[in-house]
């Protein structure tokens, strides 16, 4: 499985449109090679360079298997990010360049989680159900 975006290349800068300094909407994502038997997808976006440790920006699950997640969309049920919101929270680093990982998981089931669940709950629910995973990394520095 592979995840890409028409908005930025892996390892390159995320356009400000998708950050706290822009429209603060999720970038378009393309997912190729979804395995047979996939019932749903989950996406986690996180920043491992945050001063407090990993910072969760977007947690979403029960996405119908699709090759495209549209820009600015709500493709599934959203969990609570570290901004304490059940929505996408774009890159907004306090200083320096941070890396942002968009991780997609192909699952063999739908997950019985309520909106606003935390990443830890999502990871526990996904345990034993991941058929494949892929990631895309973009960078951002506030201007």
């Amino acid at each position: 499985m592979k995840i890409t975006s028409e908005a930025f290349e892996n390892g390159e800068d995320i356009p400000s449109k998708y950050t706290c300094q822009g429209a603060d909407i999720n970038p378009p994502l393309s997912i190729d090679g979804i395995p047979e038997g996939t019932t749903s997808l989950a996406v986690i976006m996180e920043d491992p360079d945050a001063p407090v440790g990993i910072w969760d920006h977007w947690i979403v699950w029960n996405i119908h298997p699709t090759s495209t997640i549209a820009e600015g969309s709500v493709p599934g049920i959203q969990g609570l990010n570290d901004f304490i919101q059940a929505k996408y929270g774009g890159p907004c680093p306090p200083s320096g360049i941070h890396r942002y990982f968009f991780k997609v998981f192909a699952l063999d089931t739908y997950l019985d989680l309520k909106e606003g669940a935390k990443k830890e709950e999502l990871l526990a629910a996904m345990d034993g159900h991941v058929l494949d995973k892929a990631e895309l990394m973009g960078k951002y520095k506030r201007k």
Side-chain angles (χ1 to χ4, degrees), residues 86-107:
K87 65 177 211 165
Y88 174 86
C92 200
S95 64
I97 298 171
H98 284 218
R99 297 168 298 151
Y100 298 88
F101 290 85
F102 291 82
K103 300 177 179 184
V104 63
F105 302 86
L107 308 173

Side-chain angles (χ1 to χ4, degrees), residues 57-119:
H57 284 260
W58 197 28
I59 300 157
V60 59
W61 62 89
N62 287 358
I63 302 166
H64 183 75
T66 179
S67 61
T68 304
I69 294 175
E71 173 183 283
S73 67
V74 179
I77 299 172
Q78 298 185 108
L80 206 59
N81 62 27
D82 283 330
F83 297 108
I84 325 252
Q85 298 176 325
K87 65 177 211 165
Y88 174 86
C92 200
S95 64
I97 298 171
H98 284 218
R99 297 168 298 151
Y100 298 88
F101 290 85
F102 291 82
K103 300 177 179 184
V104 63
F105 302 86
L107 308 173
D108 65 2
T109 188
Y110 280 101
L111 302 176
D112 187 21
L113 286 174
K114 294 193 182 326
E115 181 178 358
K118 294 189 175 186
K119 182 174 75 174

Side-chain angles (χ1 to χ4, degrees), residues 41-67:
L41 301 173
V43 173
I44 296 173
M45 178 197 170
E46 57 191 20
D47 169 7
D49 301 320
V52 297
I54 295 173
W55 188 270
D56 300 324
H57 284 260
W58 197 28
I59 300 157
V60 59
W61 62 89
N62 287 358
I63 302 166
H64 183 75
T66 179
S67 61

Side-chain angles (χ1 to χ4, degrees), residues 13-14 16 19 21 91-93 95-98 100 139-143:
D13 291 341
I14 296 171
S16 61
T19 75
Q21 295 184 291
C92 200
S95 64
I97 298 171
H98 284 218
Y100 298 88
K139 298 176 184 175
Y140 190 69
K141 177 181 180 180
R142 286 177 80 164
K143 293 159 177 66

